[in-house]
Amino acid sequence: MKTLLCLHGIFDRPSVFDAFKIAFESKGFQVIVPNLHLRWGFTRIETAAETFKKTISSLTLEAKNEIVLVGFSMGGIIARYYLQEMNGLADLKEKAKFESFITISSPHHGSLLGYGSPGRGGFSLRPSSPLLRQLKESESKLSGLRILSLYTPHDLMILPASSSIWKLATNIEVEEKTHAAMLKSERVFDEIEKWIEFEGKIES
C-alpha cells in the first residue's frame, strides 16, 4: 500500500486536504493528515516539525508500505525542516520504504506575505529568513531523493509565485487560479498519481 503523509499550511487544518483525501483514498491510497496546530503562523516551524516527528513515531506501518511525503504551502517547509534538520529520512525509512517528497505551492524561497505575519512561523517564511537560509545550506542532504514541486503562476499567497520553483525538484506548473484551488485540482491529482506510479523522473 502507498501511504501519503500530508502536512497542511499556515492558516489550515487537516480538513484542507479533504478533497485530496477523497480522491486518493478512492484509488486505494492511505492518506494521513495530522493536525500541526500552526495557530495562523504563531507556531514556530521547528515546533511544528517536532509535532510531525511525534506523529511519525506513533505510526504503525508495514515494511512493504511506500511512503510519500506531501507538503502544502508552509507544510512543505515544515516537511523540509523535518527531513533536513531532524533526521526525518531515517525516521521514515525505519517505518517503511520512503518513495518520494512532493510539495504543493510551497514558498521554498519565501513569500512577501511573511512580512505581514506577527508570528514566528510566518516570520520564517519571509524571503532570506534565517530558517530559509538554514534550509538552503543543508538541502544537499536531500540529494538523490525524488522531489516534485507543483505550483500555479497565479498564486497570491506565495509572492512571487516563482518561489515554489526549487532546483532540487522536478517543477510542474499548473494553471489553477488560486492557492487553495491546488488541493482541489484534478490536474494536481493526476500529476501526483503519475509521479508516484512512475519509477523515474517526470520531465517538467
Side-chain angles (χ1 to χ4, degrees), residues 29-52:
F29 292 85
Q30 179 183 27
V31 182
I32 299 172
V33 192
N35 193 337
L36 301 176
H37 304 286
L38 298 181
R39 300 184 306 131
W40 289 68
F42 281 92
T43 299
R44 292 166 58 91
I45 284 176
E46 299 92 328
T47 302
E50 289 172 3
T51 298
F52 185 68

PDB file of all heavy atoms in Angstrom, residues 29-52:
ATOM      1  N   PHE A  29      -5.091   4.495  -1.981  1.00  0.00           N
ATOM      2  CA  PHE A  29      -4.009   5.025  -1.167  1.00  0.00           C
ATOM      3  C   PHE A  29      -4.479   5.212   0.281  1.00  0.00           C
ATOM      4  O   PHE A  29      -5.661   5.471   0.529  1.00  0.00           O
ATOM      5  CB  PHE A  29      -3.552   6.385  -1.690  1.00  0.00           C
ATOM      6  CG  PHE A  29      -2.878   6.345  -3.028  1.00  0.00           C
ATOM      7  CD1 PHE A  29      -3.622   6.373  -4.203  1.00  0.00           C
ATOM      8  CD2 PHE A  29      -1.493   6.296  -3.133  1.00  0.00           C
ATOM      9  CE1 PHE A  29      -3.007   6.358  -5.440  1.00  0.00           C
ATOM     10  CE2 PHE A  29      -0.868   6.287  -4.366  1.00  0.00           C
ATOM     11  CZ  PHE A  29      -1.625   6.304  -5.522  1.00  0.00           C
ATOM     12  N   GLN A  30      -3.562   5.126   1.212  1.00  0.00           N
ATOM     13  CA  GLN A  30      -3.813   5.534   2.584  1.00  0.00           C
ATOM     14  C   GLN A  30      -3.359   6.987   2.713  1.00  0.00           C
ATOM     15  O   GLN A  30      -2.248   7.328   2.302  1.00  0.00           O
ATOM     16  CB  GLN A  30      -3.033   4.657   3.562  1.00  0.00           C
ATOM     17  CG  GLN A  30      -3.225   5.019   5.028  1.00  0.00           C
ATOM     18  CD  GLN A  30      -2.374   4.173   5.954  1.00  0.00           C
ATOM     19  OE1 GLN A  30      -1.315   3.674   5.563  1.00  0.00           O
ATOM     20  NE2 GLN A  30      -2.831   3.983   7.180  1.00  0.00           N
ATOM     21  N   VAL A  31      -4.215   7.832   3.279  1.00  0.00           N
ATOM     22  CA  VAL A  31      -3.886   9.255   3.419  1.00  0.00           C
ATOM     23  C   VAL A  31      -3.957   9.635   4.893  1.00  0.00           C
ATOM     24  O   VAL A  31      -4.983   9.449   5.546  1.00  0.00           O
ATOM     25  CB  VAL A  31      -4.845  10.144   2.598  1.00  0.00           C
ATOM     26  CG1 VAL A  31      -4.450  11.619   2.737  1.00  0.00           C
ATOM     27  CG2 VAL A  31      -4.849   9.734   1.132  1.00  0.00           C
ATOM     28  N   ILE A  32      -2.857  10.165   5.425  1.00  0.00           N
ATOM     29  CA  ILE A  32      -2.775  10.564   6.828  1.00  0.00           C
ATOM     30  C   ILE A  32      -2.445  12.046   6.893  1.00  0.00           C
ATOM     31  O   ILE A  32      -1.463  12.505   6.310  1.00  0.00           O
ATOM     32  CB  ILE A  32      -1.696   9.757   7.575  1.00  0.00           C
ATOM     33  CG1 ILE A  32      -2.037   8.263   7.528  1.00  0.00           C
ATOM     34  CG2 ILE A  32      -1.553  10.235   9.018  1.00  0.00           C
ATOM     35  CD1 ILE A  32      -0.945   7.364   8.077  1.00  0.00           C
ATOM     36  N   VAL A  33      -3.296  12.815   7.605  1.00  0.00           N
ATOM     37  CA  VAL A  33      -3.116  14.268   7.703  1.00  0.00           C
ATOM     38  C   VAL A  33      -3.171  14.687   9.172  1.00  0.00           C
ATOM     39  O   VAL A  33      -4.240  14.937   9.713  1.00  0.00           O
ATOM     40  CB  VAL A  33      -4.195  15.035   6.912  1.00  0.00           C
ATOM     41  CG1 VAL A  33      -3.810  16.511   6.798  1.00  0.00           C
ATOM     42  CG2 VAL A  33      -4.433  14.442   5.534  1.00  0.00           C
ATOM     43  N   PRO A  34      -2.040  14.763   9.858  1.00  0.00           N
ATOM     44  CA  PRO A  34      -2.055  15.178  11.264  1.00  0.00           C
ATOM     45  C   PRO A  34      -2.312  16.672  11.407  1.00  0.00           C
ATOM     46  O   PRO A  34      -2.057  17.458  10.488  1.00  0.00           O
ATOM     47  CB  PRO A  34      -0.642  14.823  11.741  1.00  0.00           C
ATOM     48  CG  PRO A  34       0.190  14.901  10.514  1.00  0.00           C
ATOM     49  CD  PRO A  34      -0.687  14.427   9.387  1.00  0.00           C
ATOM     50  N   ASN A  35      -2.833  17.056  12.561  1.00  0.00           N
ATOM     51  CA  ASN A  35      -3.028  18.478  12.870  1.00  0.00           C
ATOM     52  C   ASN A  35      -1.732  19.034  13.444  1.00  0.00           C
ATOM     53  O   ASN A  35      -1.254  18.586  14.489  1.00  0.00           O
ATOM     54  CB  ASN A  35      -4.162  18.662  13.879  1.00  0.00           C
ATOM     55  CG  ASN A  35      -4.607  20.113  13.984  1.00  0.00           C
ATOM     56  OD1 ASN A  35      -3.851  21.031  13.669  1.00  0.00           O
ATOM     57  ND2 ASN A  35      -5.827  20.329  14.440  1.00  0.00           N
ATOM     58  N   LEU A  36      -1.140  20.004  12.773  1.00  0.00           N
ATOM     59  CA  LEU A  36       0.138  20.582  13.196  1.00  0.00           C
ATOM     60  C   LEU A  36      -0.037  21.783  14.126  1.00  0.00           C
ATOM     61  O   LEU A  36       0.946  22.319  14.632  1.00  0.00           O
ATOM     62  CB  LEU A  36       0.956  20.993  11.965  1.00  0.00           C
ATOM     63  CG  LEU A  36       1.271  19.865  10.985  1.00  0.00           C
ATOM     64  CD1 LEU A  36       2.004  20.410   9.771  1.00  0.00           C
ATOM     65  CD2 LEU A  36       2.081  18.766  11.652  1.00  0.00           C
ATOM     66  N   HIS A  37      -1.292  22.211  14.343  1.00  0.00           N
ATOM     67  CA  HIS A  37      -1.600  23.293  15.293  1.00  0.00           C
ATOM     68  C   HIS A  37      -0.738  24.535  15.019  1.00  0.00           C
ATOM     69  O   HIS A  37      -0.022  25.025  15.892  1.00  0.00           O
ATOM     70  CB  HIS A  37      -1.394  22.807  16.735  1.00  0.00           C
ATOM     71  CG  HIS A  37      -2.176  21.583  17.075  1.00  0.00           C
ATOM     72  ND1 HIS A  37      -3.539  21.599  17.280  1.00  0.00           N
ATOM     73  CD2 HIS A  37      -1.779  20.287  17.211  1.00  0.00           C
ATOM     74  CE1 HIS A  37      -3.964  20.364  17.557  1.00  0.00           C
ATOM     75  NE2 HIS A  37      -2.919  19.557  17.510  1.00  0.00           N
ATOM     76  N   LEU A  38      -0.828  25.042  13.805  1.00  0.00           N
ATOM     77  CA  LEU A  38       0.037  26.149  13.394  1.00  0.00           C
ATOM     78  C   LEU A  38      -0.417  27.512  13.914  1.00  0.00           C
ATOM     79  O   LEU A  38       0.356  28.466  13.879  1.00  0.00           O
ATOM     80  CB  LEU A  38       0.151  26.176  11.866  1.00  0.00           C
ATOM     81  CG  LEU A  38       0.783  24.920  11.258  1.00  0.00           C
ATOM     82  CD1 LEU A  38       0.886  25.050   9.751  1.00  0.00           C
ATOM     83  CD2 LEU A  38       2.155  24.649  11.860  1.00  0.00           C
ATOM     84  N   ARG A  39      -1.662  27.616  14.353  1.00  0.00           N
ATOM     85  CA  ARG A  39      -2.169  28.838  15.007  1.00  0.00           C
ATOM     86  C   ARG A  39      -1.887  30.098  14.178  1.00  0.00           C
ATOM     87  O   ARG A  39      -1.392  31.089  14.658  1.00  0.00           O
ATOM     88  CB  ARG A  39      -1.572  28.985  16.412  1.00  0.00           C
ATOM     89  CG  ARG A  39      -1.898  27.819  17.337  1.00  0.00           C
ATOM     90  CD  ARG A  39      -1.369  28.043  18.751  1.00  0.00           C
ATOM     91  NE  ARG A  39       0.047  28.338  18.749  1.00  0.00           N
ATOM     92  CZ  ARG A  39       0.603  29.357  19.394  1.00  0.00           C
ATOM     93  NH1 ARG A  39      -0.143  30.190  20.086  1.00  0.00           N
ATOM     94  NH2 ARG A  39       1.910  29.543  19.363  1.00  0.00           N
ATOM     95  N   TRP A  40      -2.229  30.019  12.893  1.00  0.00           N
ATOM     96  CA  TRP A  40      -2.112  31.169  12.000  1.00  0.00           C
ATOM     97  C   TRP A  40      -0.683  31.720  11.965  1.00  0.00           C
ATOM     98  O   TRP A  40      -0.469  32.918  11.859  1.00  0.00           O
ATOM     99  CB  TRP A  40      -3.107  32.266  12.391  1.00  0.00           C
ATOM    100  CG  TRP A  40      -4.510  31.891  12.076  1.00  0.00           C
ATOM    101  CD1 TRP A  40      -5.251  30.912  12.682  1.00  0.00           C
ATOM    102  CD2 TRP A  40      -5.354  32.450  11.070  1.00  0.00           C
ATOM    103  NE1 TRP A  40      -6.497  30.830  12.132  1.00  0.00           N
ATOM    104  CE2 TRP A  40      -6.595  31.764  11.138  1.00  0.00           C
ATOM    105  CE3 TRP A  40      -5.190  33.465  10.134  1.00  0.00           C
ATOM    106  CZ2 TRP A  40      -7.643  32.055  10.289  1.00  0.00           C
ATOM    107  CZ3 TRP A  40      -6.256  33.766   9.287  1.00  0.00           C
ATOM    108  CH2 TRP A  40      -7.465  33.063   9.371  1.00  0.00           C
ATOM    109  N   GLY A  41       0.287  30.839  12.075  1.00  0.00           N
ATOM    110  CA  GLY A  41       1.675  31.253  11.948  1.00  0.00           C
ATOM    111  C   GLY A  41       2.369  31.589  13.247  1.00  0.00           C
ATOM    112  O   GLY A  41       3.557  31.925  13.239  1.00  0.00           O
ATOM    113  N   PHE A  42       1.678  31.494  14.383  1.00  0.00           N
ATOM    114  CA  PHE A  42       2.335  31.763  15.657  1.00  0.00           C
ATOM    115  C   PHE A  42       3.175  30.575  16.125  1.00  0.00           C
ATOM    116  O   PHE A  42       4.091  30.731  16.928  1.00  0.00           O
ATOM    117  CB  PHE A  42       1.307  32.145  16.723  1.00  0.00           C
ATOM    118  CG  PHE A  42       0.844  33.571  16.603  1.00  0.00           C
ATOM    119  CD1 PHE A  42      -0.272  33.883  15.847  1.00  0.00           C
ATOM    120  CD2 PHE A  42       1.546  34.604  17.215  1.00  0.00           C
ATOM    121  CE1 PHE A  42      -0.696  35.202  15.717  1.00  0.00           C
ATOM    122  CE2 PHE A  42       1.134  35.916  17.091  1.00  0.00           C
ATOM    123  CZ  PHE A  42       0.009  36.216  16.332  1.00  0.00           C
ATOM    124  N   THR A  43       2.851  29.372  15.634  1.00  0.00           N
ATOM    125  CA  THR A  43       3.666  28.203  15.960  1.00  0.00           C
ATOM    126  C   THR A  43       4.937  28.223  15.116  1.00  0.00           C
ATOM    127  O   THR A  43       4.891  28.406  13.899  1.00  0.00           O
ATOM    128  CB  THR A  43       2.885  26.907  15.691  1.00  0.00           C
ATOM    129  OG1 THR A  43       1.719  26.883  16.519  1.00  0.00           O
ATOM    130  CG2 THR A  43       3.732  25.677  15.982  1.00  0.00           C
ATOM    131  N   ARG A  44       6.069  28.037  15.745  1.00  0.00           N
ATOM    132  CA  ARG A  44       7.339  28.008  15.030  1.00  0.00           C
ATOM    133  C   ARG A  44       7.399  26.790  14.101  1.00  0.00           C
ATOM    134  O   ARG A  44       6.847  25.727  14.407  1.00  0.00           O
ATOM    135  CB  ARG A  44       8.507  27.946  16.022  1.00  0.00           C
ATOM    136  CG  ARG A  44       8.674  29.199  16.843  1.00  0.00           C
ATOM    137  CD  ARG A  44       9.610  28.959  18.017  1.00  0.00           C
ATOM    138  NE  ARG A  44      10.927  28.498  17.589  1.00  0.00           N
ATOM    139  CZ  ARG A  44      11.955  29.294  17.332  1.00  0.00           C
ATOM    140  NH1 ARG A  44      11.827  30.604  17.471  1.00  0.00           N
ATOM    141  NH2 ARG A  44      13.115  28.804  16.960  1.00  0.00           N
ATOM    142  N   ILE A  45       8.062  26.933  12.994  1.00  0.00           N
ATOM    143  CA  ILE A  45       8.226  25.822  12.059  1.00  0.00           C
ATOM    144  C   ILE A  45       8.960  24.668  12.735  1.00  0.00           C
ATOM    145  O   ILE A  45       8.611  23.500  12.550  1.00  0.00           O
ATOM    146  CB  ILE A  45       8.958  26.304  10.797  1.00  0.00           C
ATOM    147  CG1 ILE A  45       7.981  27.109   9.927  1.00  0.00           C
ATOM    148  CG2 ILE A  45       9.540  25.122   9.997  1.00  0.00           C
ATOM    149  CD1 ILE A  45       8.599  27.732   8.701  1.00  0.00           C
ATOM    150  N   GLU A  46       9.937  24.978  13.554  1.00  0.00           N
ATOM    151  CA  GLU A  46      10.674  23.945  14.274  1.00  0.00           C
ATOM    152  C   GLU A  46       9.746  23.146  15.190  1.00  0.00           C
ATOM    153  O   GLU A  46       9.856  21.917  15.291  1.00  0.00           O
ATOM    154  CB  GLU A  46      11.798  24.576  15.109  1.00  0.00           C
ATOM    155  CG  GLU A  46      12.836  25.320  14.284  1.00  0.00           C
ATOM    156  CD  GLU A  46      12.530  26.794  14.113  1.00  0.00           C
ATOM    157  OE1 GLU A  46      11.331  27.156  14.074  1.00  0.00           O
ATOM    158  OE2 GLU A  46      13.487  27.582  14.000  1.00  0.00           O
ATOM    159  N   THR A  47       8.812  23.847  15.867  1.00  0.00           N
ATOM    160  CA  THR A  47       7.867  23.183  16.773  1.00  0.00           C
ATOM    161  C   THR A  47       6.902  22.308  15.988  1.00  0.00           C
ATOM    162  O   THR A  47       6.579  21.181  16.410  1.00  0.00           O
ATOM    163  CB  THR A  47       7.084  24.230  17.579  1.00  0.00           C
ATOM    164  OG1 THR A  47       8.008  25.042  18.311  1.00  0.00           O
ATOM    165  CG2 THR A  47       6.114  23.570  18.548  1.00  0.00           C
ATOM    166  N   ALA A  48       6.431  22.812  14.856  1.00  0.00           N
ATOM    167  CA  ALA A  48       5.528  22.028  14.013  1.00  0.00           C
ATOM    168  C   ALA A  48       6.217  20.767  13.502  1.00  0.00           C
ATOM    169  O   ALA A  48       5.601  19.696  13.415  1.00  0.00           O
ATOM    170  CB  ALA A  48       5.027  22.871  12.847  1.00  0.00           C
ATOM    171  N   ALA A  49       7.493  20.885  13.161  1.00  0.00           N
ATOM    172  CA  ALA A  49       8.251  19.720  12.700  1.00  0.00           C
ATOM    173  C   ALA A  49       8.393  18.689  13.815  1.00  0.00           C
ATOM    174  O   ALA A  49       8.337  17.476  13.565  1.00  0.00           O
ATOM    175  CB  ALA A  49       9.620  20.151  12.197  1.00  0.00           C
ATOM    176  N   GLU A  50       8.549  19.149  15.044  1.00  0.00           N
ATOM    177  CA  GLU A  50       8.614  18.229  16.190  1.00  0.00           C
ATOM    178  C   GLU A  50       7.279  17.505  16.368  1.00  0.00           C
ATOM    179  O   GLU A  50       7.247  16.311  16.667  1.00  0.00           O
ATOM    180  CB  GLU A  50       8.977  18.996  17.451  1.00  0.00           C
ATOM    181  CG  GLU A  50      10.411  19.479  17.496  1.00  0.00           C
ATOM    182  CD  GLU A  50      10.679  20.409  18.668  1.00  0.00           C
ATOM    183  OE1 GLU A  50       9.753  20.629  19.469  1.00  0.00           O
ATOM    184  OE2 GLU A  50      11.814  20.910  18.772  1.00  0.00           O
ATOM    185  N   THR A  51       6.179  18.244  16.181  1.00  0.00           N
ATOM    186  CA  THR A  51       4.847  17.622  16.259  1.00  0.00           C
ATOM    187  C   THR A  51       4.703  16.539  15.199  1.00  0.00           C
ATOM    188  O   THR A  51       4.198  15.446  15.467  1.00  0.00           O
ATOM    189  CB  THR A  51       3.754  18.687  16.069  1.00  0.00           C
ATOM    190  OG1 THR A  51       3.836  19.640  17.125  1.00  0.00           O
ATOM    191  CG2 THR A  51       2.365  18.058  16.063  1.00  0.00           C
ATOM    192  N   PHE A  52       5.168  16.846  13.995  1.00  0.00           N
ATOM    193  CA  PHE A  52       5.091  15.860  12.918  1.00  0.00           C
ATOM    194  C   PHE A  52       5.975  14.650  13.225  1.00  0.00           C
ATOM    195  O   PHE A  52       5.585  13.512  12.967  1.00  0.00           O
ATOM    196  CB  PHE A  52       5.500  16.497  11.592  1.00  0.00           C
ATOM    197  CG  PHE A  52       5.324  15.584  10.411  1.00  0.00           C
ATOM    198  CD1 PHE A  52       4.055  15.212   9.989  1.00  0.00           C
ATOM    199  CD2 PHE A  52       6.417  15.082   9.733  1.00  0.00           C
ATOM    200  CE1 PHE A  52       3.883  14.357   8.910  1.00  0.00           C
ATOM    201  CE2 PHE A  52       6.259  14.236   8.650  1.00  0.00           C
ATOM    202  CZ  PHE A  52       4.988  13.866   8.249  1.00  0.00           C
TER     203      PHE A  52
END
